[in-house]
């Protein structure tokens, strides 16, 4: 069935809520209003206010309550209206959720999800890509889907996972990307990268919105005879190192791309793994393409300038191939 | 003061069976002697991590936990609430092994002190970030309600920790959802070295309850029966679906923040004044006066309790440290639900 990225996420949550009475949602304006992006439209009617719980503007209480409920047999899904607001619940995730399995040996089966990403004129407070903060936190799984089918399958896997999962939905993809999504139960296991476009000359390792930049750049470059392989890592934690290394061993060249800012981004980790474990296969230095190290600005001219795009990524790929 | 007098009157007409009064005393003595035994260990240089005394706070830990149903309710204690662990049936050896992070600890050496969780005993320990577990306790109780069960969550915060933002969010959320939550604010006059007047400007911390739309009361935290009665009322209110309660208990932290702290910032007269209200001594005297026990029995109970504590500590200290490989395990729970 053809679905948007947004519909696919909603479909996964609806199906899991029908299947498992321990799954419930908590967040701001998710009930009557159906969510700021209308992702939970119709959920209140189907599941009632006991399972679609409108919460005060209190991200720490929302995430903390989700942790408590998950320690008591439930599988909460906590929505951040914009993922930027996750900073208000940071302590709950980093201090409590991410340390519980290690300290107590108890599962914390919860998902914190919300719209991330720029390119939509959001301003510095509605455009963050903060996924790597949580990679560094330990004990949290980090998921960044790029396609509707993956979004559905990864959401299903995230809800069923016994660990806290942070699920980053790129808001620019919500209604932009449509594809055929498997109906019914559909699981994409966490920790499996996907070669979304096979190629011979250079690997682009990426996730989220950068996957679409990479595919666009690959199309452009193919006219010049450059055959680009695109690897969508899909989840940052767990990280499927083997698929990435296999691609780089095959092509001998790599560009790492993400929309999040460059310094301290997950791209640095990917580069480190490649140079540690596939150095002798490399024919060129590994290059990163990412946002300029600034907050995401508001005006379209500034935002377009600081964020990566297909053209910037295409140029980086050309440079690596020409090295 | 009006409120306090009313509460005192309430306890006068409220009678507790002698066996239960003796049990309250026994639990407070366990809390007191646990501290004595830990202090001995600290002085021997064998303690590991901070030693946080509950001296002066025993009536709060014991009286509040005693008001709960151990089979249905849940306890989220803080670091000075060891008495509550005993009320919830935690055995000495388990407590000591966890506390001292030795092999066999439920936390496998990843953490220590009272931070452990024991789901079978319905105890979920704290983290060092004060206030962080209050929304978690609220969510725990909420989950039970979603299944049609009633579970009252009781947790604690201090006069310092009550200033953390998460406390506000949790209380407001709990009030809006009428979650069966009881928050005990242990006002023991000092947050580490900072006196109350630099922590908050309201007269009583329970005054905040009205702003949240919940019940609130401030009581003498050195009177275990008053603490118990007040908590029973709050628990009953929570069980009826009438929402959360703040109970502010006035006590004095009679030691430093932890044993490394000489608490020279506390005026001596203040300690002397509070020493007259020692919750354990006073309750023992009261039970002796009421003919429930004798001075000899109390002395004997204290001696055997201290000996039991020391023996349990010595057994735990003799255990090996956890194997270093534990440091690399369990960052995640591996299995996925069906």
């Amino acid at each position: 069935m053809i679905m948007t990225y947004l519909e696919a996420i909603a479909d996964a949550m609806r199906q899991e809520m029908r299947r498992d009475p321990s799954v419930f949602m908590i967040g701001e304006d998710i009930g009557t209003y159906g969510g700021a992006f209308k992702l939970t439209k119709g959920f209140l009617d189907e599941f009632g206010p006991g399972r679609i719980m409108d919460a005060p503007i209190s991200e720490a209480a929302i995430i903390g309550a989700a942790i408590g409920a998950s320690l008591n047999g439930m599988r909460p899904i906590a929505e951040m209206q914009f993922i930027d607001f996750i900073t208000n619940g940071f302590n709950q995730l980093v201090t409590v959720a991410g340390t519980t399995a290690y300290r107590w040996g108890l599962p914390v089966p919860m998902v914190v999800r919300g719209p991330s990403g720029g390119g939509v004129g959001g301003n510095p407070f509605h455009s963050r890509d903060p996924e790597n903060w949580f990679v560094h936190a330990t004990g949290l799984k980090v998921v960044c889907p790029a396609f509707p089918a993956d979004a559905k399958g990864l959401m299903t896997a995230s809800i069923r996972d016994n660990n806290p999962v942070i699920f980053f939905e790129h808001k620019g993809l919500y209604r932009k990307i449509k594809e055929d999504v498997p109906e019914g139960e559909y699981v994409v296991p966490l920790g499996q990268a996907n070669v979304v476009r096979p190629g011979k000359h250079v690997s682009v390792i990426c996730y989220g919105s950068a996957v679409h930049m990479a595919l666009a750049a690959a199309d452009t470059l193919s006219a010049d005879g450059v055959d680009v392989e695109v690897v969508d890592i899909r989840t940052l934690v767990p990280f499927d190192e083997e698929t990435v290394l296999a691609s780089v061993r095959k092509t001998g060249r790599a560009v790492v791309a993400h929309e999040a800012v460059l310094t301290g981004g997950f791209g640095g980790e990917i580069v480190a793994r490649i140079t540690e474990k596939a150095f002798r296969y490399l024919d060129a230095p590994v290059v990163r393409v990412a946002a300029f190290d600034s907050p995401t600005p508001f005006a379209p001219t500034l935002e377009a300038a600081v964020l990566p795009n297909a053209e910037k990524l295409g140029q980086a790929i050309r440079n690596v191939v020409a090295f | 003061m009006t409120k306090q007098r009313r509460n005192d009157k309430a306890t006068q007409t409220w009678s507790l069976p002698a066996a239960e009064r003796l049990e309250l005393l026994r639990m407070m003595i366990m809390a007191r002697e646990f501290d004595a035994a830990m202090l001995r260990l600290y002085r021997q240089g064998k303690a590991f991590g901070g030693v946080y005394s509950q001296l002066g706070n025993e009536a709060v830990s014991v009286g509040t936990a005693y008001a709960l149903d151990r089979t249905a309710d849940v306890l989220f204690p803080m670091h000075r609430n060891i008495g509550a662990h005993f009320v919830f049936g935690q055995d000495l050896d388990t407590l000591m092994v966890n506390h001292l992070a030795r092999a066999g600890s439920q936390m496998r050496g990843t953490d220590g002190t009272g931070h452990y969780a024991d789901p079978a005993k319905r105890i979920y320990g704290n983290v060092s970030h004060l206030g962080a577990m209050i929304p978690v306790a609220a969510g725990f109780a909420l989950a039970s309600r979603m299944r049609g069960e009633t579970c009252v969550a009781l947790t604690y915060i201090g006069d310092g920790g009550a200033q953390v933002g998460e406390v506000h969010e949790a209380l407001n959320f709990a009030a809006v959802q009428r979650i069966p939550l009881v928050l005990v604010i242990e006002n023991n006059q000092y947050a580490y070295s900072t006196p109350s007047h630099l922590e908050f400007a309201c007269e009583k911390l329970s005054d905040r309850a009205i702003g949240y739309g919940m019940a609130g009361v401030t009581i003498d935290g050195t009177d275990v029966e008053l603490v118990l009665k007040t908590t029973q009322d709050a628990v009953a209110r929570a069980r009826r679906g009438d929402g959360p309660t703040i109970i502010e208990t006035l006590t004095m932290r009679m030691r430093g923040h932890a044993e490394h702290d000489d608490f020279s910032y506390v005026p001596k007269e203040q300690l002397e004044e509070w020493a007259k209200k020692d919750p354990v001594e006073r309750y023992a005297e009261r039970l002796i006066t009421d003919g429930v026990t004798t001075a000899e029995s109390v002395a004997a109970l204290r001696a055997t309790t201290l000996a039991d504590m020391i023996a349990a500590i010595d057994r735990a200290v003799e255990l090996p440290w956890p194997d270093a490989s534990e440091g690399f395990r369990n960052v995640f729970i591996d299995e996925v639900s069906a």
Side-chain angles (χ1 to χ4, degrees):
Chain A
M1 190 182 172
I2 301 296
M3 284 187 205
T4 63
Y5 182 93
L6 178 140
E7 288 164 346
I9 293 164
D11 190 48
M13 295 196 297
R14 202 181 291 112
Q15 297 218 5
E16 286 306 291
M17 288 192 69
R18 285 175 186 160
R19 193 183 76 95
D20 181 351
S22 71
V23 180
F24 75 97
M25 285 194 69
I26 181 167
E28 295 156 16
D29 308 298
I30 63 171
T32 309
Y33 191 66
F37 289 85
K38 301 294 173 196
L39 198 144
T40 52
K41 193 170 164 234
F43 276 53
L44 181 66
D45 288 341
E46 179 170 355
F47 301 108
R51 295 180 71 194
I52 303 296
M53 190 174 280
D54 272 324
I57 304 176
S58 299
E59 285 79 11
I62 291 168
I63 296 171
I67 295 169
S70 74
L71 285 169
N72 190 6
M74 304 300 277
R75 292 186 172 273
I77 303 171
E79 175 171 305
M80 299 288 103
Q81 194 160 77
F82 284 81
I83 208 73
D84 308 65
F85 304 138
I86 204 168
T87 49
N88 291 333
F90 197 72
N91 189 42
Q92 287 295 325
L93 285 166
V94 171
T95 302
V96 185
T99 65
T100 298
Y102 193 60
R103 293 182 298 123
W104 289 352
L106 297 177
V108 180
M110 62 184 277
V111 178
V112 177
R113 49 157 289 273
S116 69
V120 297
N123 85 16
F125 316 110
H126 296 79
S127 306
R128 282 269 188 196
D129 294 284
E131 58 274 2
N132 205 46
W133 301 348
F134 301 97
V135 174
H136 203 69
T138 73
L140 303 168
K141 294 193 176 180
V142 178
V143 179
C144 300
F147 298 99
D150 280 353
K152 176 174 177 178
L154 292 167
M155 176 55 82
T156 306
S158 298
I159 294 168
R160 295 183 189 183
D161 203 281
N162 280 326
N163 299 281
V165 178
I166 312 184
F167 196 93
F168 293 86
E169 302 162 5
H170 196 287
K171 67 176 82 67
L173 304 178
Y174 267 160
R175 292 184 169 83
K176 195 162 97 184
I177 309 287
K178 282 185 192 181
E179 69 175 354
D180 196 22
V181 174
E183 285 180 59
E185 203 171 315
Y186 180 57
V187 180
V188 173
L190 306 186
Q192 292 184 7
N194 189 25
V195 179
V196 294
R197 177 191 168 116
K200 293 198 293 280
H201 299 139
V202 55
S203 303
V204 179
I205 318 299
C206 50
Y207 61 86
S209 64
V211 177
H212 300 283
M213 299 173 201
L215 290 171
D219 279 348
T220 307
L221 285 162
S222 68
D224 300 335
V226 179
D227 191 10
V228 178
E229 175 150 305
V230 179
V231 181
D232 174 4
I233 62 170
R234 300 197 284 198
T235 65
L236 281 56
V237 181
F239 174 52
D240 179 4
E241 182 183 272
E242 208 31 64
T243 299
V244 170
L245 295 177
S247 174
V248 175
R249 286 189 198 111
K250 184 179 82 174
T251 63
R253 293 169 200 269
V255 175
V256 176
H258 52 59
E259 190 187 291
V261 297
L262 181 75
T263 304
F266 194 67
E269 182 62 30
I270 298 173
V271 175
R273 304 281 185 111
I274 292 170
T275 53
E276 281 172 8
K277 297 182 180 176
F279 186 74
R280 57 201 179 87
Y281 294 88
L282 289 173
D283 297 322
V286 185
V287 165
R288 287 175 296 163
V289 175
F292 174 68
D293 290 339
S294 72
T296 315
F298 185 40
T301 42
L302 276 66
E303 188 179 26
V306 303
L307 292 182
N309 57 34
E311 290 68 40
K312 293 176 194 175
L313 178 53
Q315 190 53 53
I317 297 168
R318 282 180 205 280
N319 294 346
V320 166
V321 170
F323 181 84
Chain B
M1 279 316 285
T2 324
K3 221 168 229 174
Q4 210 165 309
R5 227 174 286 136
R6 200 164 49 227
N7 271 310
D8 287 344
K9 216 172 266 173
T11 49
Q12 281 165 19
T13 56
W14 172 77
S15 75
L16 200 59
E20 293 204 39
R21 301 180 84 188
L22 277 174
E23 185 65 0
L24 287 173
L25 179 64
R26 190 174 75 85
M27 290 293 155
M28 283 206 290
I29 287 174
M30 284 182 81
R32 173 69 50 98
E33 302 308 344
F34 173 86
D35 275 0
M38 287 302 287
L39 187 59
R40 169 182 164 272
L41 192 72
Y42 180 78
R43 288 183 174 149
Q44 288 171 341
K46 292 187 198 163
F48 180 65
V51 172
Y52 300 92
S53 173
Q54 67 207 307
L55 198 69
N57 195 52
E58 297 88 345
V60 177
S61 293
V62 170
T64 52
Y66 204 85
L68 296 175
D69 176 348
R70 279 161 47 183
T71 63
D73 297 329
V74 67
L75 185 72
F76 281 76
M78 272 215 314
H79 52 298
R80 290 187 216 285
N81 298 122
I82 292 301
H85 296 238
F86 294 137
V87 174
F88 260 54
Q90 190 53 275
D91 66 89
L92 270 182
D93 284 307
T94 303
L95 188 71
M96 296 306 183
V97 166
N98 284 327
H99 223 82
L100 300 169
R102 293 311 202 273
S105 156
Q106 282 161 325
M107 294 183 286
R108 306 175 297 111
T110 62
D111 199 357
T113 66
H115 288 184
Y116 71 94
D118 190 341
K121 294 210 163 65
R122 304 186 72 76
I123 299 170
Y124 293 83
N126 66 308
V127 297
S128 301
H129 296 50
L130 301 179
M133 294 308 284
I134 302 176
V136 178
F140 194 100
L142 178 68
S144 290
R145 189 174 72 191
M146 285 176 166
R147 293 192 295 264
E149 305 157 8
T150 302
C151 162
V152 177
L154 187 136
T155 188
Y156 306 83
I157 196 71
D159 45 285
Q163 316 323 324
V164 172
E166 284 161 310
V167 179
H168 161 70
E169 289 199 15
L171 288 176
N172 181 62
F173 175 69
V176 168
Q177 288 291 338
R178 304 191 88 67
I179 291 173
L181 177 78
V182 179
L183 177 65
V184 181
I185 304 183
E186 301 170 311
N187 181 350
N188 64 9
Q189 316 304 322
Y190 285 86
Y192 208 140
S193 73
T194 305
S196 296
H197 74 272
L198 294 178
E199 289 287 348
F200 56 91
C202 50
E203 191 190 335
K204 290 179 295 189
L205 288 166
S206 64
D207 288 346
R208 293 178 181 178
I210 195 165
Y212 292 119
M214 64 171 70
V217 61
T218 294
I219 57 167
D220 175 2
T222 64
D223 178 344
V224 69
E225 290 192 12
L226 176 61
V227 171
L228 171 59
K229 176 71 175 83
T230 308
T231 313
Q232 282 177 341
D233 291 347
V235 169
R237 186 179 302 120
R239 254 193 249 295
R240 284 197 304 271
D242 288 340
T245 302
I246 291 173
I247 302 173
E248 182 190 20
T249 57
L250 300 176
T251 59
M252 178 67 206
R253 197 190 71 203
M254 300 299 283
R255 304 285 303 173
H257 170 66
E259 286 308 323
H260 66 270
D261 168 17
D262 70 0
F263 58 116
S264 53
Y265 45 82
V266 179
K268 224 171 135 229
E269 307 75 53
Q270 192 178 357
L271 290 167
E272 283 165 3
E273 209 47 48
W274 280 94
K276 294 176 196 157
K277 296 180 66 171
D278 182 294
V280 181
E281 302 290 350
R282 248 176 69 217
Y283 195 53
E285 282 163 23
R286 189 163 153 191
L287 295 197
I288 292 163
T289 308
D290 288 356
V292 175
T293 186
T294 62
E296 294 71 30
S297 300
V298 172
L301 179 60
R302 291 193 66 155
T304 53
T305 304
L306 179 61
D308 288 349
M309 295 286 166
I310 289 173
I313 286 180
D314 287 348
R315 281 195 295 276
V317 167
E318 289 309 308
L319 291 170
W321 291 106
D323 192 86
S325 63
E326 293 291 356
F328 300 94
R329 288 183 50 232
N330 261 38
V331 176
F332 293 102
I333 300 288
D334 289 335
E335 76 276 15
V336 172
S337 82

